[in-house]
Each structure stands twice: as structure tokens, then as C-alpha cells.
Amino acid sequence: MVDVSLLKKDLDAIRAYRAKAKLPMTTHMGDEAVPIERIPMYSPTIMRVTTGGIPMGKFVRLFGDYSTCKSHVVYLILGAAQRYRSPRFPVGLGCAYWDTEGGWDAGHAERLGVDVKSLIRGETQVIERIAEEVEVLMRSTHIHAIDSLSDAKSTDELASDLGDANIGIHAKAWKAALRKIESRMDRDENTIVMVSHVGTKIDIKRRTSYTYPKDGDHAQYLSAMNLEFSAGSWLFYHPDGHLDVADKIKTDTGLSPAGIMEPDGVEITVKCRKNKTGRQHLSGKMRFDLNTFEFDTAFELADGGLYFDEDGKPAHRSVKPAIISPDKGSWYWLPDGQHVNGRPGIRQAIDANPELEKMIR
């Protein structure tokens, strides 16, 4: 028969045993959990899609086709983590970057805010070596970004002959490696950021095809947050100076010497496919400048201003006016009563008014 009065005695016995065996305490009351801290990002879209930033103590997976800004966002995460300060992390977060693709660019990372002098960079492509080194470094380093899982190789794969099929060998190796990392990681202070590419599967019954993240199902199940990146329309410089889609530009902007339109940017869509720490199935668009290698945050802020009311709720649900309210034609009202014309007017108002930007963020 269950005796509730024995609960404290039982817990004390478990604590005493684990303390004597020098094992960490793994049984707690529900209210003893450490609150999840989040690494805030500069991009308003990423902040909204992730419900407030990159969660600490979790596996986070970024996946998508090539050239969809996955590595770029990883650099931004590393820089934001190094700058992050809180009572638990008064000097910021230590970061490591596992460069399995060989695409590391110190100059580009530094331009994006990464302190490359304090960043640990691993060059090995061997899955088992990555797991072993991450296991050791998790004691002294908070964030570990693996870019990418798809390009790493297992020892069995490297030792096999060219004619061997090796079906599932890559996914099995990562499953074992991630399980090893998971068993050693501190669920309050370590974060693993994984990058995966996508493949295509054909559904014969439905006569359609769909994309899926590679590297096995275990990485997908293990991650607390899955972010999918995809590329959309090509963008070109508008005469006003901002990036826009081609059908909104009536000049020859973007023509190369050969008379061919060369894009100045690309529209990136990011979707939160899974989120155990907040709202999932949120999505947003970002505009990436191919010349400056930066996101157009003014575009994201304008979108946010047109979507949210002053209480931070979606205007179409709250039935309150949005922060930036549409008027007749291409005109908009700002909270201070200012009347601006078109997206360029909104962007100029945001650039000129830090309080408006703060309100939207």
C-alpha cells in the first residue's frame, strides 16, 4: 500500500546513495527545475519563430537545402552566445564550432560578431572523434555547433571498400554519437546546434515528392527545436535602396554587362517544425543581401509592425490595430500619428525612431 508520508524519506535515501556513489542527483520535485534560458538573436524573425531565442540545455537542429543561410545563422548564434550575459553566465558562453564541411571563414565569422580568438574550432570529419571531443569539452564549453552532420563520416564508412553498400551506416553512427553526447551533456548549460542537409523522397502512391532532413531519425527525435530553411524569390535593389522582388522594380536594376539580371539578394523562409520549449509551426521570411552578407532586419521589423498590436499580440486575433496600421492606398499610420507612404516610408520611420523599433521587437 502506498504511504505518501514516506516520500521525503525515500528521496533522502536516493540522495544519500547517489552522493556516496559520487553520482549526480537525477530525481527532483517538479518545481526544482532550472528555468530555460534563451540566447537572444538580433533577427526579429528568428526571435519570433523560436519563441524567444535559442534554448539552453537542448539539441537544436537547422536543416534545409544548400545556400539557405544555415551556416550563416550558426555564426550568428555563436556570436550571440558569446555576447550573452546573465546571473548564471556573467562572462558569456563558451563556444565550439565543428567544421566538417571545411567551409570555415574566420573573416566572415568575425564580421558577423563571432569572437574568433575565443572560439574553439574542430576540423575532424570523423563522427566518432567529434563525439569524443565534444564529450570532453562539454565540461568547459557551453555551445557546440556541428556544421554539418551530413558531411561527416564514420570510421566504418572510411574503412569500407568502394563496392560496399553501407546502407544506413551514416545514420547509425550519428545515432550512437548523439546518444553518447546526450548522456554526458549538462541539461542546463550545454546546447548542441546541428546542421543537416535535405534529401528528396518520392511517394509513388500519391505521385508526389517531398524533402526530408538527412542523417537519420534520431537527430530529429532528439532535438528540442527543428528549424527548416528554404530559399524563395530572387531579390534586386529597388531604386530606393532596399531589396525587393523583380515585379516591383520597373527599371533595369540588376542587369549585368551581358544584359542578364543578377540577383542582389534572396528571400529565405524559416519554419519551426518542432519546438519543445515554445510555440511550434511558426514561420517567417528574411531577406538576405548577397553583396553585404547580412539580413535586412528593417524588412523583418516592418513585417512585425504590420502583424502585431501594441500588446504584442497578432492584430488579426486581438481585433486591435497593428502597430503600423494600413490606410488608404499605400499609406500607413504609425503609433505617434505620423503618416508614411509605402514600405520605404515605414523603413525610414523605423531607422529614424529607436522607440518604434524597440516597440516592434
Side-chain angles (χ1 to χ4, degrees):
M1 184 175 180
V2 175
D3 187 347
V4 179
S5 65
L6 297 175
L7 176 60
K8 184 178 185 304
K9 183 179 179 180
D10 290 344
L11 286 174
D12 288 343
I14 293 174
R15 290 190 179 100
Y17 164 75
R18 298 190 74 82
K20 185 177 180 180
K22 297 182 179 180
L23 297 172
M25 183 61 185
T26 57
T27 305
H28 309 277
M29 298 303 293
D31 61 351
E32 294 177 344
V34 177
I36 297 174
E37 292 197 39
R38 295 175 179 273
I39 303 168
M41 303 293 291
Y42 184 69
S43 164
T45 295
I46 294 179
M47 283 294 285
R48 188 179 75 82
V49 169
T50 59
T51 326
I54 306 302
M56 289 292 297
K58 306 294 181 183
F59 284 81
V60 177
R61 190 185 201 189
L62 282 58
F63 69 93
D65 207 349
Y66 62 88
S67 298
T68 51
C69 295
K70 300 184 298 299
S71 296
H72 184 92
V73 172
V74 169
Y75 286 175
L76 294 177
I77 292 173
L78 294 174
Q82 291 174 327
R83 294 188 297 274
Y84 179 68
R85 299 290 185 273
S86 76
R88 286 176 58 208
F89 307 107
V91 295
L93 300 169
C95 298
Y97 178 77
W98 303 93
D99 181 26
T100 68
E101 296 185 355
W104 169 254
D105 185 335
H108 179 50
E110 199 165 21
R111 286 193 297 272
L112 296 179
V114 179
D115 181 1
V116 297
K117 293 182 180 179
S118 64
L119 178 77
I120 298 168
R121 182 172 69 93
E123 292 184 313
T124 179
Q125 288 188 312
V126 181
I127 295 172
E128 290 81 2
R129 299 294 87 75
I130 293 172
E132 290 169 357
E133 294 182 19
V134 170
E135 182 183 9
V136 173
L137 286 169
M138 278 194 296
R139 295 180 298 184
S140 57
T141 307
H142 303 94
I143 312 297
H144 293 265
I146 306 172
D147 187 10
S148 65
L149 270 64
S150 307
D151 207 50
K153 289 90 176 171
S154 69
T155 52
D156 290 341
E157 188 177 0
L158 292 171
S160 64
D161 294 328
L162 291 175
D164 293 344
N166 292 333
I167 297 174
I169 193 171
H170 180 82
K172 290 176 182 177
W174 268 123
K175 182 176 182 179
L178 293 175
R179 278 183 168 176
K180 185 174 185 179
I181 292 171
E182 182 188 21
S183 67
R184 298 291 190 270
M185 73 183 289
D186 187 321
R187 283 293 186 172
D188 297 324
E189 298 196 0
N190 290 133
T191 297
I192 311 297
V193 180
M194 307 175 291
V195 177
S196 289
H197 298 298
V198 295
T200 302
K201 286 185 177 179
I202 298 175
D203 189 330
I204 297 176
K205 290 183 179 180
R206 295 181 177 84
R207 297 183 180 180
T208 186
S209 62
Y210 61 94
T211 60
Y212 69 100
K214 295 181 178 180
D215 315 315
D217 291 335
H218 191 70
Q220 182 174 344
Y221 297 149
L222 186 62
S223 58
M225 181 179 290
N226 278 323
L227 300 177
E228 180 183 12
F229 291 78
S230 58
S233 303
W234 291 119
L235 303 172
F236 304 88
Y237 286 138
H238 192 278
D240 292 323
H242 64 276
L243 291 170
D244 217 329
V245 293
D247 59 5
K248 292 188 178 181
I249 303 173
K250 298 180 180 179
T251 66
D252 291 336
T253 300
L255 288 182
S256 72
I260 300 171
M261 287 194 77
E262 295 179 342
D264 296 301
V266 61
E267 192 167 75
I268 301 295
T269 299
V270 56
K271 298 180 180 179
C272 186
R273 294 298 191 186
K274 177 184 178 183
N275 192 352
K276 290 183 177 180
T277 63
R279 169 82 152 83
Q280 59 184 350
H281 299 305
L282 292 173
S283 61
K285 292 186 182 295
M286 302 181 290
R287 290 186 169 180
F288 184 69
D289 193 315
L290 294 170
N291 299 305
T292 64
F293 282 87
E294 294 179 350
F295 286 120
D296 182 0
T297 52
F299 166 79
E300 299 174 41
L301 288 166
D303 267 2
L306 291 164
Y307 184 79
F308 291 105
D309 64 23
E310 293 189 22
D311 296 325
K313 297 179 180 179
H316 69 280
R317 296 195 192 117
S318 67
V319 199
K320 291 183 179 180
I323 296 172
I324 302 171
S325 302
D327 195 16
K328 295 179 181 179
S330 60
W331 289 86
Y332 297 90
W333 287 107
L334 301 182
D336 60 1
Q338 186 180 354
H339 212 201
V340 297
N341 186 15
R343 286 282 185 139
I346 294 175
R347 296 168 63 91
Q348 291 173 8
I350 292 173
D351 289 339
N353 188 349
E355 288 302 315
L356 177 58
E357 177 178 345
K358 184 179 178 180
M359 180 187 293
I360 296 171
R361 285 187 180 278

